[in-house]
Amino acid sequence: MDDQIISYAIKIVVAIVIFIIGKKIATWITEAALKAIAKNEKVDDTLNKFLSSVIYSGLLVFVVLFALSTVGIEITSIAAILGAVGIAIALAFQNTLSSVSAGVMIMIFKPILVGEYVEAGGTSGVVEKITIFYTIMRTGDNKMIIVSNSNIMGSNITNYSRKDTRRVDITFGIGYDDDLKLAKNTLKEILNSDPRVLKDPEAFVAVSELADSSVNFITRSWVKSEDYWGVYHDTLEKVKLTFDEKNISIPYPQMDLHTNN
């Protein structure tokens, strides 16, 4: 009986030693992995910490199971129980885990970055913060919107800030009785006189449609991304004022009624 107690006590001591040494080894491996991951500039610091936590937790579970096996505890049943618990947790937190995996993808592939104006997850705004679970966006009227990462990666993403330049497309209509060439030259002059409009590629103006009540022109000009809305609104105002000065009409939908007496 005493020999059994001594033998069991020795096993417990060995298990404790294995746990202490295994924990130190797990810490060392985690730190080494964190340094290796940190060398990749594409990986966000938040993701580094998350991955290191996952690695450390997995190693620690392995160390605990190995230590228990030295005591004589059957780890097969424990592993089965842990597996069942893991499946139950995965099912219970399916949406959360989906957001986590989407957050990892966002941080690795970087389809959006902090400070960029994007349309994603059913909303649009400036990205203020990206976490493992969600992304915080600020709308144009200064509202904060918290979007699940799974919604962002599960839909199309339009990034308006990633490219240095954008094209401003605006359609203008004139009356059928107006001077077409005068209107076309006027539109070109307005675009070319704006210093924010890039010279290469040059601004484009052409008749796009002979509509029911107007002759429509399409204008396409390239600008720096940060100048897009300024050029867009200023061009609308400038065209209206200049057309008024040159007696070029901008028709609106109307119906003529003819009656017989």
Side-chain angles (χ1 to χ4, degrees):
M1 185 69 178
D2 292 338
D3 293 339
Q4 291 180 351
I5 294 175
I6 293 173
S7 176
Y8 194 72
I10 292 174
K11 289 181 179 179
I12 292 177
V13 172
V14 172
I16 294 174
V17 172
I18 290 175
F19 176 76
I20 295 173
I21 296 175
K23 187 177 180 181
K24 290 183 178 180
I25 294 175
T27 302
W28 178 79
I29 293 175
T30 303
E31 291 177 352
L34 183 59
K35 290 180 181 179
I37 297 173
K39 291 181 180 179
N40 188 349
E41 296 180 355
K42 293 183 178 180
V43 181
D44 189 84
D45 184 59
T46 303
L47 181 58
N48 290 346
K49 295 178 181 179
F50 175 75
L51 292 178
S52 64
S53 177
V54 172
I55 293 172
Y56 180 75
S57 299
L59 291 173
L60 200 59
V61 169
F62 176 79
V63 170
V64 170
L65 291 176
F66 185 69
L68 290 175
S69 67
T70 61
V71 181
I73 298 177
E74 184 62 41
I75 64 172
T76 305
S77 57
I78 297 178
I81 294 173
L82 290 177
V85 172
I87 293 174
I89 293 175
L91 292 175
F93 295 93
Q94 184 177 2
N95 293 334
T96 301
L97 293 176
S98 176
S99 293
V100 170
S101 61
V104 172
M105 293 179 65
I106 290 175
M107 292 180 180
I108 291 178
F109 297 107
K110 298 185 182 299
I112 60 176
L113 294 172
V114 173
E116 292 182 334
Y117 185 86
V118 301
E119 183 178 331
T123 188
S124 59
V126 177
V127 179
E128 291 199 326
K129 186 177 181 180
I130 301 173
T131 71
I132 288 293
F133 298 98
Y134 57 84
T135 295
I136 297 177
M137 299 170 62
R138 174 173 48 83
T139 63
D141 54 352
N142 207 32
K143 291 186 294 187
M144 183 181 75
I145 299 181
I146 300 175
V147 187
S148 172
N149 288 333
S150 59
N151 290 339
I152 292 178
M153 294 303 294
S155 61
N156 293 334
I157 299 174
T158 303
N159 193 322
Y160 295 98
S161 303
R162 187 59 57 90
K163 298 297 184 179
D164 294 331
T165 59
R166 288 183 62 187
R167 194 178 72 185
V168 183
D169 293 357
I170 310 178
T171 299
F172 296 98
I174 66 170
Y176 274 91
D177 295 331
D178 292 312
D179 190 329
L180 187 145
K181 290 185 177 181
L182 175 62
K184 184 175 182 179
N185 291 332
T186 300
L187 290 172
K188 285 184 177 180
E189 291 173 0
I190 292 173
L191 295 177
N192 292 330
S193 64
D194 193 328
R196 295 167 296 181
V197 175
L198 302 178
K199 304 305 179 183
D200 185 23
E202 64 179 355
F204 174 81
V205 178
V207 175
S208 62
E209 182 184 14
L210 299 178
D212 293 337
S213 58
S214 65
V215 177
N216 293 336
F217 286 91
I218 181 68
T219 65
R220 295 171 178 166
S221 56
W222 287 90
V223 300
K224 293 181 178 179
S225 295
E226 59 268 24
D227 293 331
Y228 179 87
W229 287 112
V231 172
Y232 181 89
H233 294 297
D234 290 346
T235 300
L236 290 175
E237 180 179 347
K238 184 67 174 178
V239 168
K240 177 62 171 67
L241 294 175
T242 306
F243 274 17
D244 287 346
E245 292 176 359
K246 296 186 178 183
N247 295 320
I248 301 174
S249 64
I250 300 179
Y252 49 86
Q254 54 184 328
M255 181 181 295
D256 294 332
L257 296 178
H258 301 274
T259 60
N260 295 322
N261 293 329

